[in-house]
Amino acid sequence: MGQTVGKRLTIFAVALALSSAATAAPLDPLGDPAQFQRDVAELNRKPLPDGEPLARVVGAAVAVDARQRGRCTPNKISIGALSPVTLDGMITSMVAAGQIENAWLTAVKLDDCPPAAPIRVLLLRMADGVALQGIFAGQGESLAWPTLAREALKATVPHAVNALRRADPACAPKDLTATDVKVADRSPDLGPDVYGLRLKGSWREIWTFEPCGHRITVPISFTANGTGGASWDIDGGGIVYVP
């Protein structure tokens, strides 16, 4: 059955929780929509993080994930293009609250590790416009913005766990994180990326989990709702378990 993050991801509704933010907030989602759009565009005209500071922070985020999941820790990485996610509901609220200046997603290839899907890193630039923080945001390709991906993961994991319990009851991983995500289909009307969001259309992804040496793939379809949110539907009948 489909789920929805609806208003939680609506760029204007998230600001309802920000009544304590200063009047001089970098963004005002409750203000004039045209001004809000101009402010978002202005934020994204600033120079992107680059060079050694970017490499250091992204490398640290990759290393933390490798330790937590027991994966290969690379000594060499290739950092992909930075894609802004300013309109992700979580990011918008953080910018409006003066906690960060902006945020981006990047795909990171682990050059000297065994072949694996790229690591997605959420890069935050703090409100001072200088300090950076990198956070593991998943593995593989995905069109889901950070808040949507986080909510969809919560719904997807139980399906993977149920398949695992039926096939191998002795396998009890502490947690499940996808080791790969692939975009399987895109609707003809799928809209472009708008500072992290898709405002129209739908797409389907295949999420892969590899607990205890097994392989479980879970198909999940997303549909944009036109207001910054999206619904999803997990195809329980399409889940595949490979010993």
Side-chain angles (χ1 to χ4, degrees), residues 8-58:
R8 279 181 300 205
L9 292 183
T10 304
I11 59 177
F12 299 108
V14 291
L16 293 176
L18 301 177
S19 57
S20 61
T23 56
L27 291 179
D28 182 8
L30 288 180
D32 176 62
Q35 184 60 52
F36 178 77
Q37 293 176 11
R38 288 192 294 269
D39 290 342
V40 170
E42 182 64 27
L43 275 179
N44 285 285
R45 278 193 284 269
K46 295 185 177 183
L48 294 172
D50 199 3
E52 193 274 336
L54 172 65
R56 182 178 66 252
V57 169
V58 171

Side-chain angles (χ1 to χ4, degrees), residues 12-208:
F12 299 108
V14 291
L16 293 176
L18 301 177
S19 57
S20 61
T23 56
L27 291 179
D28 182 8
L30 288 180
D32 176 62
Q35 184 60 52
F36 178 77
Q37 293 176 11
R38 288 192 294 269
D39 290 342
V40 170
E42 182 64 27
L43 275 179
N44 285 285
R45 278 193 284 269
K46 295 185 177 183
L48 294 172
D50 199 3
E52 193 274 336
L54 172 65
R56 182 178 66 252
V57 169
V58 171
V62 170
V64 168
D65 168 62
R67 289 195 299 271
Q68 291 180 341
R69 292 198 291 156
R71 313 281 290 183
C72 171
T73 301
N75 293 309
K76 183 181 179 182
I77 60 175
S78 295
I79 302 173
L82 301 187
S83 179
V85 287
T86 318
L87 293 187
D88 176 284
M90 173 184 66
I91 300 304
T92 298
S93 55
M94 292 176 71
V95 175
Q99 297 171 335
I100 65 173
E101 182 185 79
N102 206 350
W104 302 264
L105 275 176
T106 183
V108 184
K109 182 181 177 184
L110 312 186
D111 294 329
D112 57 351
C113 284
I119 300 293
R120 296 196 307 279
V121 172
L122 176 62
L123 184 69
L124 308 176
R125 182 152 63 192
M126 297 298 104
D128 63 4
V130 178
L132 300 174
Q133 180 180 354
I135 303 170
F136 172 79
Q139 188 166 7
E141 65 171 339
S142 177
L143 300 184
W145 43 96
T147 306
L148 176 60
R150 182 181 62 187
E151 296 295 328
L153 179 63
K154 292 178 183 178
T156 304
V157 164
H159 289 266
V161 169
N162 288 338
L164 181 62
R165 285 174 177 168
R166 290 193 299 268
D168 184 3
C171 176
K174 293 181 180 179
D175 67 281
L176 279 178
T177 301
T179 56
D180 196 6
V181 176
K182 284 185 168 37
V183 178
D185 297 296
R186 307 174 192 228
S187 69
D189 66 337
L190 181 63
D193 181 291
V194 181
Y195 299 117
L197 302 184
R198 304 275 172 167
L199 297 176
K200 66 175 182 177
S202 60
W203 69 97
R204 188 169 68 96
E205 299 184 355
I206 307 297
W207 292 30
T208 299

Side-chain angles (χ1 to χ4, degrees), residues 3-11 13-14 225 227-232:
Q3 302 290 325
T4 182
V5 290
K7 291 184 179 179
R8 279 181 300 205
L9 292 183
T10 304
I11 59 177
V14 291
N225 66 12
T227 59
S231 62
W232 65 80

